[in-house]
Amino acid sequence: MNRPARLVTAALTASAALLLTACGSGGGDGASSDKIAGADSADTPSASPSVSATADGIDRPEIKLPSDMKLVFEGQQTGDAVKDAILADNERSVSTVWQAVAYGNLKKSGMGFYYTDAALRGVYNYAKNNNANKTSWAGTLRYFDRQVTVFDKTSAALTYCVDESKANVKDLKTDKVKVTETSPDSYVYYNTGVKKNEQGVWQIWKLHEDRGSTRCQP
């Protein structure tokens, strides 16, 4: 069985080419006709105030991960307010996906708060498939070398690496974790497009994955 983020490959790469070299509209993945829980105002998860929420005045969905699922984000502060806000919303966005995978509640996961367009369809289908298969992960994912390129007041690109070497797939039916040997595929490069919505949230709308990228190898 593969590592956690390896399971996400098919869903997340549906949104087409690298943002920095080609800015086309996100492609469909078969879910465009389905209603995605949390994707509109009617289904937006109820907000739960937190330290980060009060800092920027935005009411945000509550995010809680199980104790055996740890996320480590490096490079949280750049000194630039816009870039730091994008990095903070990046942390929240990926956390909502893992919350959905861990607990199976797509509607209240918060994914619709931080993702939109093709990226939302991708992560929604990914979480939904993992829920159906009773599959999650345990261990630590490290997010590093996070770089922001700001285009204007409402659009930017974010690239980052993920180290999956200390995370393994968990079978929720048995609660057992299968340890997977570390390989070049344990390191993944992501290239995302983000845009700021009317609430001030930097949402991911487009995402490309390069598994085994030499940019992220130790």
Side-chain angles (χ1 to χ4, degrees):
M1 191 175 291
N2 296 322
R3 289 188 178 279
R6 257 187 111 167
L7 301 175
V8 80
T9 303
L12 292 187
T13 54
S15 55
L18 291 174
L19 177 76
L20 294 178
T21 56
C23 285
S25 60
D29 56 10
S32 58
S33 61
D34 298 332
K35 180 174 179 60
I36 297 178
D40 54 32
S41 58
D43 283 326
T44 298
S46 57
S48 176
S50 65
V51 174
S52 57
T54 56
D56 59 17
I58 300 173
D59 288 332
R60 300 176 181 277
E62 181 179 22
I63 302 174
K64 290 183 178 180
L65 300 179
S67 59
D68 62 356
M69 184 181 279
K70 183 179 181 182
L71 306 180
V72 175
F73 297 93
E74 297 181 359
Q76 295 175 311
Q77 300 294 323
T78 67
D80 180 285
V82 175
K83 291 183 178 181
D84 289 350
I86 292 171
L87 290 171
D89 278 343
N90 170 239
E91 296 180 27
R92 299 175 182 116
S93 64
V94 297
S95 298
T96 63
V97 178
W98 298 133
Q99 178 171 242
V101 168
Y103 296 117
N105 193 329
L106 301 181
K107 184 175 181 179
K108 293 185 177 181
S109 68
M111 290 187 294
F113 196 89
Y114 292 106
Y115 290 87
T116 188
D117 301 337
L120 175 57
R121 293 192 294 272
V123 296
Y124 178 85
N125 281 339
Y126 167 65
K128 184 178 180 180
N129 289 338
N130 275 269
N131 293 164
N133 293 322
K134 302 296 182 184
T135 303
S136 184
W137 62 271
T140 300
L141 294 182
R142 182 172 67 95
Y143 294 76
F144 64 101
D145 194 19
R146 299 193 297 157
Q147 304 292 329
V148 179
T149 302
V150 178
F151 300 134
D152 54 44
K153 292 182 179 180
T154 59
S155 64
L158 168 65
T159 62
Y160 57 93
C161 292
V162 182
D163 174 0
E164 302 173 1
S165 64
K166 293 181 173 59
N168 297 283
V169 172
K170 180 178 181 179
D171 187 333
L172 295 178
K173 297 188 296 291
T174 63
D175 221 29
K176 292 183 178 179
V177 176
K178 182 175 182 179
V179 177
T180 308
E181 188 173 330
T182 298
S183 73
D185 279 352
S186 302
Y187 302 89
V188 196
Y189 178 75
Y190 286 95
N191 194 328
T192 74
V194 296
K195 56 185 177 182
K196 190 176 184 179
N197 67 10
E198 293 181 354
Q199 292 176 276
V201 178
W202 286 93
Q203 294 181 307
I204 295 176
W205 68 275
K206 192 172 185 180
L207 192 155
H208 176 82
E209 174 191 281
D210 182 10
R211 179 163 297 281
S213 171
T214 56
R215 308 184 199 199
C216 302
Q217 299 297 321

